[in-house]
Amino acid sequence: MLTHARIVPALLLAALAWPRASAAQTFKVQKYSIGGDGGTDYLTAEAGTTRVFVSRGTHVMVVDGVTGKVLGDIPDTPRTHGIALAPRSGHGFITNGGDSTVTMFDLKTLAVIKKIPVATGGMDGIMYDDFSDRVILTNHSRPIGTLVALDPATGVIAATVQLADNGPEGAASDGKGKIFVNNEGTSTMQVIDTKTWKAIASWPLAPCEGPTGIAYDRTTNRIFSGCGKISVVVDAMTGKIVATIANGDGVDALGFDPAEKLIYIPAGRDSNVTVVHEDAPDKYTVVATVATMRGAKTITVDPVKHVAYLFQPEYGPPPADAPPPQPGQRPPRGPIIGTWFFAISH
């Protein structure tokens, strides 16, 4: 196992009045080679345990965020996308695009309990809403995107909501009965009432284009929507944009540490993470740009340990006889030659 540590200085502005005066901070990046096969999409940190669940195409690796050691592996997750953890029930859930199922597993043993068919298809984003005690799927289903709510104790589908776009991405909860969903195709945010399981509002997010990652600050009622180059902050009471954040391009997720008031915005095309401090509900300061690697576009934050994690395979050159890509398709990839897991702390 190869371990690298790098120090990235990030000077915070002094004398911030809210919520407390900020002192100078240093961000540290640890980089581990974790091995394993397959590409990746999302990863999820289990709060306070240092376990990080990493999607790998056909399986999910469980990694110790402190050492980079592989703790376990959950198999048979074809074209896996995301992982959600429901601590109240002791279960975890994985979205599988390859067979339109959700894998339900035991959080302690990692043993698979069952695979849940989801008729809408289009498996992609997933999160756990503590208020409704439901696992929330945001699906790229056709002809229109859907939000599906699962009972985490039984795996039974409890509700299905039609959305306004067939490209819904991240979802976040206010902890009071509303869920906010980024629609990548229309650059809007929809509001879902978890008491009725109906969409009750849709808000434009311009100047954000193609919103993906999302997080909610429950103390300020602000929603952070991650977008390429310009992310936005939304007042959850009014739907109005109250601030914009300049960040890198190629954003596919967003992390938030509510205790530290730090927002992490990964940019896969620009090979970095923009770290932003929430100075006040409508005031935000970029405090660091942390180098990662090309392609690292998703992120997760442990709000107890105050560490952000990313994962990205490194690809070698494609075969010399590989055919050129068709219009609109990405170029062919070569073999995986590196498997890099990043831990950002301060």
Side-chain angles (χ1 to χ4, degrees):
M1 179 174 296
L2 183 62
T3 303
H4 303 275
R6 292 177 293 178
I7 304 299
V8 181
L11 223 48
L12 290 177
L13 296 180
L16 294 176
W18 180 93
R20 57 184 173 83
S22 296
Q25 297 185 41
T26 298
F27 286 83
K28 181 175 68 174
V29 179
Q30 292 178 294
K31 180 180 177 183
Y32 304 98
S33 175
I34 64 172
D37 298 324
T40 193
D41 196 357
Y42 299 110
L43 69 169
T44 298
E46 184 177 35
T49 70
T50 75
R51 292 198 304 178
V52 184
F53 294 76
V54 182
S55 66
R56 294 302 307 272
T58 60
H59 61 115
V60 169
M61 298 175 71
V62 185
V63 177
D64 183 348
V66 175
T67 65
K69 179 182 177 182
V70 178
L71 304 174
D73 196 278
I74 303 169
D76 189 25
T77 61
R79 212 165 78 239
T80 184
H81 286 277
I83 307 100
L85 312 178
R88 198 180 304 175
S89 66
H91 296 151
F93 298 83
I94 302 165
T95 50
N96 307 314
D99 59 6
S100 295
T101 65
V102 172
T103 298
M104 179 177 175
F105 65 93
D106 185 284
L107 271 179
K108 289 183 180 178
T109 67
L110 305 182
V112 173
I113 299 169
K114 62 179 176 179
K115 293 185 78 174
I116 305 160
V118 181
T120 61
M123 303 293 94
D124 188 34
I126 186 169
M127 54 86 71
Y128 172 66
D129 174 29
D130 55 335
F131 178 83
S132 65
D133 189 30
R134 292 290 182 262
V135 173
I136 306 301
L137 316 177
T138 47
N139 307 317
H140 291 205
S141 44
R142 297 293 187 272
I144 197 66
T146 53
L147 179 149
V148 170
L150 300 179
D151 182 333
T154 64
V156 171
I157 294 177
T160 300
V161 183
Q162 285 197 345
L163 300 173
D165 182 17
N166 59 21
E169 286 284 312
S173 169
D174 67 355
K176 295 178 287 189
K178 290 185 175 62
I179 292 174
F180 302 84
V181 181
N182 276 340
N183 285 323
E184 185 175 19
T186 56
S187 295
T188 60
M189 179 183 293
Q190 283 188 269
V191 186
I192 311 300
D193 186 334
T194 64
K195 299 179 181 67
T196 63
W197 292 108
K198 293 185 182 300
I200 59 173
S202 180
W203 301 327
L205 294 181
C208 159
E209 294 183 359
T212 53
I214 191 171
Y216 193 105
D217 186 340
R218 295 182 179 183
T219 63
T220 62
N221 291 311
R222 293 295 182 263
I223 311 166
F224 314 125
S225 187
C227 319
K229 299 182 181 179
I230 300 177
S231 296
V232 295
V233 181
V234 179
D235 183 333
M237 302 296 102
T238 65
K240 302 298 183 184
I241 306 293
V242 296
T244 60
I245 299 167
N247 50 259
D249 196 13
V251 175
D252 201 27
L254 181 146
F256 179 54
D257 186 332
E260 301 291 331
K261 296 292 183 184
L262 289 176
I263 306 162
Y264 295 83
I265 308 173
R269 293 192 185 100
D270 289 338
S271 309
N272 60 42
V273 174
T274 300
V275 186
V276 183
H277 186 265
E278 184 182 10
D279 304 336
D282 299 340
K283 184 176 185 297
Y284 297 82
T285 301
V286 174
V287 297
T289 301
V290 181
T292 53
M293 67 178 287
R294 186 167 180 82
K297 61 181 182 175
T298 61
I299 198 165
T300 185
V301 174
D302 183 335
V304 176
K305 299 295 185 180
H306 310 298
V307 181
Y309 301 100
L310 306 91
F311 171 76
Q312 178 61 32
E314 180 182 358
Y315 295 92
D321 58 352
Q326 296 298 313
Q329 293 183 341
R330 68 185 181 191
R333 285 172 168 168
I336 292 175
I337 59 174
T339 51
W340 301 112
F341 178 82
F342 297 85
I344 302 174
S345 59
H346 65 99

